[in-house]
Amino acid sequence: MAKTNNNRRRQFFRSLGGHGPIRRPPWTGDDFTERCVRCAACIEACPEQVLFQGGGGYPEIRFDEEGCSLCGACVEACGEPVFDTRRVAFPWRARIEANCLALGNVHCQSCQDACEWRAIAFTPEIGRAPRPRLDTEACTGCGACQSQCPNHAITMTIEEMAHAE
């Protein structure tokens, strides 16, 4: 229990420093650091190369260039009981921020084009650029939209963290 509280506290302080919370691989939980042996097998197996060695040598996920396809290569490569594919892949969902180009009446639909899950759709409007609509039920938190947004207007947010802002 204390270790879980320490992890949450660490994530909170990282978010204050502008680094955001620590993002772990898909299908992992609060007990990740207790189960992971830091062998990097999941990092090496990731075809999108979104996993990297983070603080303390533990795998973290970053959506700078690509999103996670949820292919399961990390799960297959891991010899430890770290992953549980019965749980939701990620606890966060996409959020479209005010600096979205489409919200500023600029024609851009990069996020929709990148979203394999069809969680982002644009509805044509007369006299203005189509605005994005996000279906949070369809969103998997895979980060594909975030990595393709030219204006960095998409963030991944955990619902309980969104209420704290």
Side-chain angles (χ1 to χ4, degrees):
M1 180 78 167
K3 215 169 205 179
T4 300
N5 288 336
N6 285 339
N7 287 341
R8 287 190 181 135
R9 190 176 300 129
R10 186 178 308 122
Q11 287 184 0
F12 172 74
F13 284 116
R14 280 189 78 186
S15 70
L16 292 178
H19 301 291
I22 297 170
R23 306 276 189 210
R24 296 292 182 209
W27 305 293
T28 59
D30 289 338
D31 61 350
F32 178 78
T33 56
E34 296 164 21
R35 295 175 180 250
C36 178
V37 297
R38 300 176 267 191
C39 68
C42 60
I43 295 170
E44 294 166 11
C46 180
E48 286 86 20
Q49 299 179 347
V50 294
L51 295 177
F52 67 99
Q53 195 166 19
Y58 293 103
E60 294 182 23
I61 193 165
R62 195 182 291 156
F63 304 126
D64 294 340
E65 304 292 325
E66 291 288 330
C68 175
S69 67
L70 302 174
C71 67
C74 54
V75 177
E76 292 172 22
C78 184
E80 300 299 320
V82 172
F83 297 92
D84 181 358
T85 57
R86 295 171 295 179
R87 69 173 49 150
V88 175
F90 297 113
W92 54 79
R93 297 293 173 261
R95 182 171 66 186
I96 300 171
E97 303 292 344
N99 62 320
C100 168
L101 294 173
L103 294 177
N105 208 25
V106 174
H107 285 273
C108 177
Q109 296 182 4
S110 297
C111 56
Q112 174 184 265
D113 297 342
C115 184
E116 181 180 334
W117 313 102
R118 304 289 176 237
I120 301 174
F122 285 78
T123 306
E125 295 183 32
I126 296 174
R128 66 163 287 116
R131 294 182 186 185
R133 281 183 300 106
L134 177 64
D135 179 354
T136 55
E137 295 295 315
C139 180
T140 63
C142 73
C145 58
Q146 183 181 29
S147 69
Q148 296 305 309
C149 180
N151 213 35
H152 307 289
I154 298 179
T155 56
M156 295 295 146
T157 306
I158 296 173
E159 193 59 33
E160 59 190 33
M161 290 177 72
H163 294 300
E165 295 178 335

